[in-house]
Amino acid sequence: MRLVVSVCFLSGPGVQGGKILVFPVDGSHWVNMDLLLQSLHARGHEVTVVRTATSWYIKEKAPHYHSITITLPEAISMEEQDFFVTFLVKMLAIQKQGASVMAFLSFQWEMLTSLSQMHYQASQLVVEMFENKSLMQSLHDTQYDVVLLDPGLPFGVLVAHKLKLPTVFNVRWITSGEGHFVVAPSPVSYVPTSGCVVSDKMTFWQRVKNMFHYLLNICIDRFIVSPHYDRLVERYFDPDVSFYHLLQGTDIWLMRMDFVFEFPRPTMPNIVYIGGFQCKPSKPLPPELEEFVQSSGEHGVIVMSLGTLVKGLPVEITSEIAAAFAQLPQKVIWRHAGERPSNLGNNTLLVKWMPQNDLLGHPKVKAFVAHGGTNGIYESIYHGVPIIGLPLLFDQFENLLRLEVRGAANVLDVTKLTRENFLEALQEVLHNPSYKNSMNRLSDLHRDRPMHPLDTALYWIEFVMRHKGASHLRTESYKMSWYSYHSLDVIGLLLAVLLMLTAVTLGSIWFLCSRLCRRRKPKQE
Amino acid sequence: MRLVVSVCFLSGPGVQGGKILVFPVDGSHWVNMDLLLQSLHARGHEVTVVRTATSWYIKEKAPHYHSITITLPEAISMEEQDFFVTFLVKMLAIQKQGASVMAFLSFQWEMLTSLSQMHYQASQLVVEMFENKSLMQSLHDTQYDVVLLDPGLPFGVLVAHKLKLPTVFNVRWITSGEGHFVVAPSPVSYVPTSGCVVSDKMTFWQRVKNMFHYLLNICIDRFIVSPHYDRLVERYFDPDVSFYHLLQGTDIWLMRMDFVFEFPRPTMPNIVYIGGFQCKPSKPLPPELEEFVQSSGEHGVIVMSLGTLVKGLPVEITSEIAAAFAQLPQKVIWRHAGERPSNLGNNTLLVKWMPQNDLLGHPKVKAFVAHGGTNGIYESIYHGVPIIGLPLLFDQFENLLRLEVRGAANVLDVTKLTRENFLEALQEVLHNPSYKNSMNRLSDLHRDRPMHPLDTALYWIEFVMRHKGASHLRTESYKMSWYSYHSLDVIGLLLAVLLMLTAVTLGSIWFLCSRLCRRRKPKQE
């Protein structure tokens, strides 16, 4: 019954030569964006990336894009690694020790301060651009076709509005929450909110918790994130312009999400799903790695990577992990940048870097120990490799929960990890076929789509370039007042009419009765 | 900048030989369904259609499907033409004469009775099937892969549930309203409801009207349509099964809709848009018709068709139309099955049938006079031909409004039609280039999609066959109680807690104050 659908982009006159202005977000977000940019460049488009002078990953020079570098007067120049490692160490300490309420609140406050600081810097980048008249003139003169941006830091929408250009989002997170919440109806009764680790089937108390997170996210957005941009809108645009409406008015949302991973939820016509667009078939491994993998024989290989953050994992945890691995007949390839655990088994190969996609696509690989970043998760889904999850930060808890409820991952609390429970989790995933079967099913569903998600992304970016927007796919209902949007004014009117009718009816009955009674009384007298 | 994307279905092992059970709706709906069935048959699937012995269009024998004919004990055997013509004549009379409230209500009552009668018959068809043990056994033994149905008459979901088969809807209307309203959030503040002729940008009073239609549609559904099926569910299924949940639980909704036509609105991951799937390039005209078309010279041709219902248009209207046409330099091709107007001009060719798609695709055709059925509208959009609309019945008013607000149609009230205003409308569309430009823009947007909508439909039907459903795209939130779905219980709890906290705070303050006061009083004394 299997169908093969091949989608071919055929070059035609005028395909080449589009101009794209890009506002990326640094860090792991850039990995995704850069992939898109490489493909856009390969299709003949001219790509210009706006970056800051202190960017972590976004290089000034690259073969596939030009760049515009903005120097911020008060930029944080901390390295990404250090930033996140400091963060992780603090969080693990709090989680592990069952910290005091004050310590917890102070940590949350620190997080919110960092968030605010990030958005403040992003907003300052806009000021630097807007105040640089010659830069703005040159951007204007270049006549870009579209602005492509990651709205995790959404400052690019302001520049796009200034240049009167259509926008495309490459998005999963926006300002302070998950992207859909800004543009699609999101009933919190079954749509998990960002930061709330629940599935789409919640108990009453989970729904209360989800509502709490929803309200919290709204507050963070309204009081911590948006004000930075609101100030700019007030300063540079007409009074009828609103920062939030600029976000909501984006032409196309390329959502880095797929419904084998995300729970089904309401969506909008201008949301295009490109989850797993980075996935591709594996290539052969380097000879020495291939030799190591083959040496595993029938037992196969376990791959472990916790991203770049593992450096921050304390030695007491890594040594428990090493001890568990040492008891397995499988071979283990462990990407680890921190201190080498002293009890590392002979079966475990420690590497600073590994060709993760090629390894996950290798038939000998039986399981993936992962922190739950989305890149790794989609590669795992694509290749059908079940996961032992060790979530550390941010969305990793929610991400892994999505695989856990589908039976494709076994998730551990890293603060409670011991060699025994980690070994048990590994054995469970290796020997209970339901994990592999569940992941294979997700893989089948994920791969069965009319068009590869990367082609889908390119198609819709170029669609916006061809038609100078996609307004027919975009509702403008966000411009209504909240009470009109929810029909509260109409319901109010209908209730008032109903009340009035009831009152008039009851009044008439009372009047008639009282007249009847009065007539009777004289007779009785 | 134009991209050509070609989608190729490549045959592979096991592509052929799927088994599809089809529950179509008769009349114009069948035209759409039949097109899908022809394509499914061409792709090697075995198609079985369930029909009644008194079907209007669905023939017992066809080269591309088998049929199962059910004889109903009390079927209405009226011809479709007569049924609708009687209907139209009554409605025109009511609209024209500004009929009395009683006449209007009696007509509405008659409509609702017909609706109820249709659904009653559909439900009886299920009874006939379920009571026929050998038929049900043979359906069971055939091991169909999927049930494809038009939920305008949704009886097929009951059969599918009995046979434990996944379902695909080929849908625009369901039970008593537009399909989305059953499955996707539909804020009535900007989503027009069925029967309410408004756009997505409404005034307050239009929103009140829209809410009224929404409530009316719910009442019709709950009290007139659903009870027929609820009775069957009660009789044949377990108590936890609900007819409405069977509708909502459908795997894939192939929605005959495109957003160049429909207003943007919330949707769901398992809704696939196939609007315009019937559209295809035009073929050359028959020689005599081509000659007539060419004889129009630089002026071009107007095509007119009001579907099969035009027979019911009174002669005083058709003669006004004929008189207006006679004054034009254009040639006119008029599909007309009724009496020949005596004042027909020499430029007007009356035909009983015409190759509508081939005519609309002809470069000489300048405008289309249409009643606003969706087939004609999509052909018109596909070929970029602006419309002069004469809506007569049902959804035709709403359909034409959608083109009117986009500047691609000029719509007239047929009950107020005179030769003067009709001529004016024709001239306007012929000579004001904005109509043609607007329609060309819709056409460009409509044609610019990664995959032809017919291929999309086939892809997703086969997707459901391959994976035995598409549960990962389908929310089960409809199983929640309405107050949980809308989080009213959670909001209630939060409000109660808030109230309690306020009460405790105020109480404490009062208590403290009163204690303070008491202490002071003795001092003062």
Side-chain angles (χ1 to χ4, degrees):
Chain A
M1 185 71 55
R2 186 91 194 179
L3 247 194
V4 185
V5 175
S6 102
V7 178
C8 350
F9 283 90
L10 303 182
S11 289
V15 162
Q16 302 200 336
K19 287 178 186 156
I20 304 168
L21 184 62
V22 185
F23 294 88
V25 167
D26 213 336
S28 63
H29 285 229
W30 169 250
V31 180
N32 285 317
M33 184 63 101
D34 194 34
L35 249 168
L36 263 188
L37 301 190
Q38 287 171 25
S39 302
L40 285 167
H41 172 75
R43 288 189 47 72
H45 300 296
E46 198 182 307
V47 177
T48 306
V49 172
V50 178
R51 63 187 283 283
T52 63
T54 54
S55 278
W56 290 327
Y57 288 178
I58 308 165
K59 302 277 165 270
E60 191 176 359
K61 286 188 182 16
H64 57 289
Y65 61 77
H66 311 291
S67 71
I68 295 172
T69 301
I70 311 287
T71 307
L72 290 177
E74 3 164 21
I76 303 176
S77 61
M78 195 185 199
E79 279 295 309
E80 185 191 27
Q81 284 249 346
D82 301 333
F83 179 77
F84 284 119
V85 166
T86 315
F87 208 76
L88 175 65
V89 170
K90 276 188 198 162
M91 212 183 76
L92 286 179
I94 284 179
Q95 283 185 354
K96 193 146 192 174
Q97 297 153 11
S100 69
V101 174
M102 278 313 291
F104 177 76
L105 286 180
S106 127
F107 178 69
Q108 295 294 330
W109 182 251
E110 209 175 301
M111 260 181 71
L112 292 179
T113 312
S114 299
L115 185 75
S116 177
Q117 180 64 24
M118 271 163 57
H119 285 284
Y120 170 72
Q121 287 214 18
S123 72
Q124 286 318 100
L125 203 145
V126 177
V127 174
E128 292 295 322
M129 290 184 76
F130 282 3
E131 295 297 331
N132 187 337
K133 299 294 172 207
S134 68
L135 171 66
M136 288 309 288
Q137 189 58 47
S138 112
L139 287 178
H140 190 265
D141 294 344
T142 308
Q143 296 190 307
Y144 289 99
D145 296 295
V146 66
V147 171
L148 173 63
L149 62 109
D150 183 329
L153 291 174
F155 58 101
V157 292
L158 302 175
V159 185
H161 185 69
K162 193 81 170 175
L163 297 172
K164 298 190 180 69
L165 291 174
T167 48
V168 173
F169 281 174
N170 169 15
V171 51
R172 184 165 176 228
W173 308 106
I174 191 167
T175 56
S176 64
E178 200 269 338
H180 283 99
F181 281 81
V182 172
V183 67
S186 306
V188 289
S189 54
Y190 73 98
V191 179
T193 57
S194 328
C196 188
V197 189
V198 292
S199 84
D200 60 341
K201 292 184 186 67
M202 305 177 218
T203 63
F204 176 74
W205 291 109
Q206 284 177 326
R207 289 194 290 113
V208 172
K209 183 180 158 198
N210 202 38
M211 175 67 84
F212 172 76
H213 277 270
Y214 175 71
L215 296 174
L216 188 70
N217 290 343
I218 287 185
C219 289
I220 292 176
D221 191 83
R222 293 290 184 277
F223 301 117
I224 295 181
V225 176
S226 290
H228 294 301
Y229 305 102
D230 289 337
R231 274 193 285 274
L232 297 188
V233 167
E234 210 170 297
R235 181 166 159 193
Y236 291 107
F237 297 122
D238 290 338
D240 62 328
V241 180
S242 127
F243 162 65
Y244 220 68
H245 289 178
L246 292 182
L247 281 187
Q248 291 170 310
T250 286
D251 292 277
I252 292 286
W253 297 64
L254 300 176
M255 197 68 79
R256 297 192 300 266
M257 183 182 290
D258 187 279
F259 286 105
V260 298
F261 169 74
E262 191 50 81
F263 301 115
R265 54 152 298 143
T267 173
M268 294 300 282
N270 60 340
I271 300 181
V272 174
Y273 293 93
I274 61 163
F277 73 97
Q278 68 275 50
C279 297
K280 53 186 182 222
S282 55
K283 295 194 297 286
L285 297 174
E288 63 281 19
L289 204 58
E290 177 66 31
E291 198 180 317
F292 180 80
V293 167
Q294 288 302 342
S295 73
S296 69
E298 61 182 299
H299 296 299
V301 174
I302 294 168
V303 174
M304 169 157 174
S305 167
L306 304 188
T308 49
L309 302 179
V310 77
K311 225 170 76 174
L313 265 194
V315 134
E316 59 263 30
I317 295 180
T318 53
S319 68
E320 291 297 297
I321 291 174
F325 279 150
Q327 293 179 51
L328 287 174
Q330 279 77 19
K331 296 277 167 126
V332 179
I333 300 171
W334 182 358
R335 181 187 176 190
H336 184 53
E339 197 183 319
R340 184 186 169 88
S342 57
N343 56 345
L344 203 71
N346 287 333
N347 63 339
T348 306
L349 179 68
L350 228 56
V351 292
K352 292 261 182 249
W353 177 88
M354 64 186 185
Q356 186 171 294
N357 186 58
D358 304 333
L359 271 170
L360 290 175
H362 198 289
K364 286 268 186 214
V365 170
K366 303 295 176 200
F368 183 31
V369 182
H371 64 315
T374 43
N375 285 338
I377 282 189
Y378 276 109
E379 284 175 357
S380 222
I381 291 175
Y382 182 81
H383 294 297
V385 180
I387 285 181
I388 296 102
L390 296 179
L392 301 172
L393 281 171
F394 309 130
D395 57 326
Q396 296 162 9
F397 301 89
E398 303 160 44
N399 294 343
L400 285 168
L401 175 92
R402 279 154 176 73
L403 291 185
E404 195 179 27
V405 297
R406 291 177 174 96
N410 195 350
V411 183
L412 289 180
D413 180 347
V414 80
T415 62
K416 298 199 180 90
L417 185 143
T418 61
R419 64 189 69 192
E420 291 79 19
N421 65 18
F422 185 56
L423 182 65
E424 202 181 318
L426 288 168
Q427 302 274 22
E428 172 76 7
V429 171
L430 287 169
H431 300 302
N432 182 343
S434 76
Y435 290 93
K436 175 71 179 162
N437 293 343
S438 299
M439 201 50 130
N440 277 345
R441 180 167 165 75
L442 295 185
S443 185
D444 278 352
L445 291 170
H446 177 63
R447 284 164 172 248
D448 192 352
R449 39 166 76 203
M451 203 170 173
H452 189 282
L454 179 59
D455 291 331
T456 308
L458 296 175
Y459 187 90
W460 287 102
I461 294 170
E462 292 182 348
F463 183 97
V464 170
M465 293 164 80
R466 281 195 288 280
H467 301 287
K468 306 190 187 315
S471 61
H472 69 300
L473 298 176
R474 186 186 68 189
T475 165
E476 294 198 348
S477 61
Y478 56 80
K479 292 181 180 169
M480 302 174 82
S481 61
W482 63 271
Y483 53 86
S484 297
Y485 178 90
H486 293 290
S487 293
L488 297 183
D489 47 0
V490 172
I491 292 170
L493 178 84
L494 294 183
L495 284 180
V497 169
L498 206 67
L499 262 175
M500 219 168 63
L501 284 179
T502 315
V504 167
T505 313
L506 289 180
S508 309
I509 292 171
W510 177 82
F511 180 75
L512 283 174
C513 285
S514 62
R515 284 294 285 261
L516 279 172
C517 289
R518 259 188 228 163
R519 271 192 203 163
R520 270 183 206 162
K521 266 186 189 170
K523 274 183 188 171
Q524 283 170 349
E525 278 164 17
Chain B
M1 186 69 54
R2 185 90 194 179
L3 245 195
V4 184
V5 175
S6 102
V7 178
C8 350
F9 283 90
L10 303 181
S11 288
V15 163
Q16 302 202 336
K19 287 179 186 156
I20 303 168
L21 185 62
V22 185
F23 293 89
V25 167
D26 213 336
S28 63
H29 285 228
W30 169 248
V31 180
N32 284 316
M33 184 63 101
D34 194 33
L35 249 169
L36 263 188
L37 301 190
Q38 287 171 26
S39 302
L40 285 167
H41 172 76
R43 288 190 46 73
H45 300 297
E46 199 182 306
V47 177
T48 306
V49 172
V50 178
R51 63 186 283 281
T52 64
T54 54
S55 279
W56 290 328
Y57 289 177
I58 309 163
K59 300 278 165 267
E60 191 177 358
K61 286 188 181 21
H64 56 289
Y65 62 77
H66 311 291
S67 71
I68 294 171
T69 301
I70 310 289
T71 307
L72 291 176
E74 5 164 18
I76 303 174
S77 60
M78 195 183 198
E79 279 295 310
E80 184 191 28
Q81 285 250 344
D82 301 334
F83 179 77
F84 284 118
V85 167
T86 315
F87 209 74
L88 174 65
V89 169
K90 275 189 199 163
M91 212 184 77
L92 285 179
I94 283 177
Q95 284 184 351
K96 193 146 192 174
Q97 297 153 12
S100 69
V101 174
M102 278 312 293
F104 176 77
L105 287 180
S106 128
F107 177 69
Q108 295 295 332
W109 183 250
E110 210 174 300
M111 261 182 70
L112 291 178
T113 312
S114 299
L115 185 76
S116 177
Q117 181 63 24
M118 272 164 57
H119 285 284
Y120 170 72
Q121 285 214 20
S123 72
Q124 287 317 101
L125 203 145
V126 177
V127 174
E128 290 296 321
M129 290 185 75
F130 281 5
E131 295 297 332
N132 187 338
K133 300 293 172 208
S134 67
L135 171 66
M136 288 310 288
Q137 190 58 46
S138 111
L139 288 178
H140 190 266
D141 295 344
T142 308
Q143 295 189 306
Y144 290 98
D145 295 295
V146 66
V147 171
L148 174 63
L149 61 109
D150 183 328
L153 292 174
F155 58 102
V157 293
L158 302 175
V159 184
H161 185 70
K162 193 80 170 176
L163 298 172
K164 298 190 179 69
L165 291 174
T167 49
V168 173
F169 282 174
N170 169 14
V171 52
R172 184 164 175 227
W173 308 105
I174 190 166
T175 56
S176 64
E178 200 269 338
H180 283 98
F181 281 81
V182 172
V183 68
S186 305
V188 290
S189 54
Y190 74 97
V191 179
T193 58
S194 328
C196 188
V197 188
V198 291
S199 84
D200 59 343
K201 292 184 186 67
M202 305 178 218
T203 64
F204 177 75
W205 290 109
Q206 285 177 326
R207 290 194 288 114
V208 171
K209 185 180 156 196
N210 201 38
M211 176 67 86
F212 172 76
H213 276 270
Y214 175 71
L215 296 174
L216 188 71
N217 290 343
I218 287 183
C219 289
I220 293 176
D221 191 84
R222 294 292 184 274
F223 301 118
I224 296 180
V225 176
S226 290
H228 294 301
Y229 304 102
D230 289 339
R231 275 193 285 273
L232 296 188
V233 167
E234 208 170 298
R235 182 167 159 193
Y236 291 107
F237 297 122
D238 291 338
D240 61 328
V241 179
S242 128
F243 162 65
Y244 220 67
H245 290 178
L246 292 183
L247 281 188
Q248 291 170 310
T250 287
D251 291 276
I252 292 285
W253 297 65
L254 300 175
M255 198 68 80
R256 297 192 300 267
M257 184 182 290
D258 187 278
F259 286 104
V260 298
F261 169 73
E262 191 52 79
F263 301 114
R265 54 153 297 144
T267 173
M268 295 299 285
N270 60 339
I271 300 181
V272 174
Y273 293 93
I274 61 164
F277 73 98
Q278 68 276 50
C279 296
K280 52 185 183 223
S282 54
K283 293 192 300 285
L285 298 174
E288 63 281 17
L289 204 56
E290 178 65 33
E291 197 179 316
F292 181 79
V293 166
Q294 288 300 343
S295 73
S296 68
E298 61 182 299
H299 296 298
V301 173
I302 295 167
V303 173
M304 169 158 175
S305 168
L306 306 188
T308 50
L309 301 178
V310 76
K311 227 170 76 176
L313 266 193
V315 131
E316 59 265 28
I317 294 179
T318 53
S319 68
E320 292 297 298
I321 290 173
F325 279 149
Q327 293 180 51
L328 287 173
Q330 280 76 21
K331 296 276 166 126
V332 180
I333 301 171
W334 183 358
R335 180 185 175 191
H336 183 53
E339 197 181 320
R340 183 185 170 89
S342 57
N343 56 345
L344 205 69
N346 287 332
N347 64 338
T348 306
L349 179 68
L350 229 54
V351 292
K352 293 263 182 245
W353 178 89
M354 63 186 185
Q356 185 171 293
N357 186 58
D358 304 333
L359 270 171
L360 291 175
H362 198 289
K364 286 269 186 213
V365 170
K366 303 295 176 199
F368 182 31
V369 183
H371 64 316
T374 43
N375 285 338
I377 281 188
Y378 277 108
E379 283 175 357
S380 222
I381 291 174
Y382 182 81
H383 294 296
V385 180
I387 285 182
I388 296 101
L390 296 178
L392 302 172
L393 282 171
F394 310 130
D395 56 327
Q396 296 161 9
F397 301 89
E398 303 160 46
N399 294 343
L400 285 169
L401 175 92
R402 279 154 175 73
L403 291 186
E404 196 179 25
V405 297
R406 290 176 174 96
N410 194 349
V411 183
L412 289 180
D413 180 347
V414 80
T415 62
K416 298 197 180 94
L417 185 143
T418 62
R419 64 189 68 192
E420 290 78 22
N421 65 18
F422 186 57
L423 183 64
E424 201 180 319
L426 288 168
Q427 302 274 23
E428 171 76 8
V429 171
L430 287 169
H431 301 303
N432 181 342
S434 76
Y435 290 94
K436 176 70 180 165
N437 292 344
S438 300
M439 201 50 128
N440 277 347
R441 177 163 167 78
L442 295 185
S443 185
D444 279 352
L445 291 170
H446 177 64
R447 284 165 172 249
D448 192 352
R449 41 165 75 203
M451 203 171 173
H452 189 282
L454 180 59
D455 291 330
T456 308
L458 297 174
Y459 187 90
W460 286 102
I461 294 170
E462 292 182 348
F463 182 97
V464 170
M465 294 165 78
R466 281 196 288 281
H467 301 286
K468 306 192 188 315
S471 61
H472 69 300
L473 298 176
R474 187 186 66 191
T475 164
E476 292 198 349
S477 60
Y478 56 81
K479 291 182 179 168
M480 302 173 82
S481 62
W482 63 271
Y483 53 87
S484 297
Y485 178 91
H486 293 289
S487 294
L488 297 184
D489 46 1
V490 172
I491 292 170
L493 177 83
L494 295 183
L495 284 181
V497 169
L498 206 66
L499 262 175
M500 219 168 62
L501 285 178
T502 316
V504 167
T505 314
L506 290 180
S508 310
I509 293 171
W510 177 83
F511 179 75
L512 283 173
C513 286
S514 61
R515 284 294 282 266
L516 280 172
C517 289
R518 259 188 230 165
R519 272 191 204 162
R520 269 183 208 163
K521 266 187 190 169
K523 273 183 194 173
Q524 284 168 350
E525 276 164 19

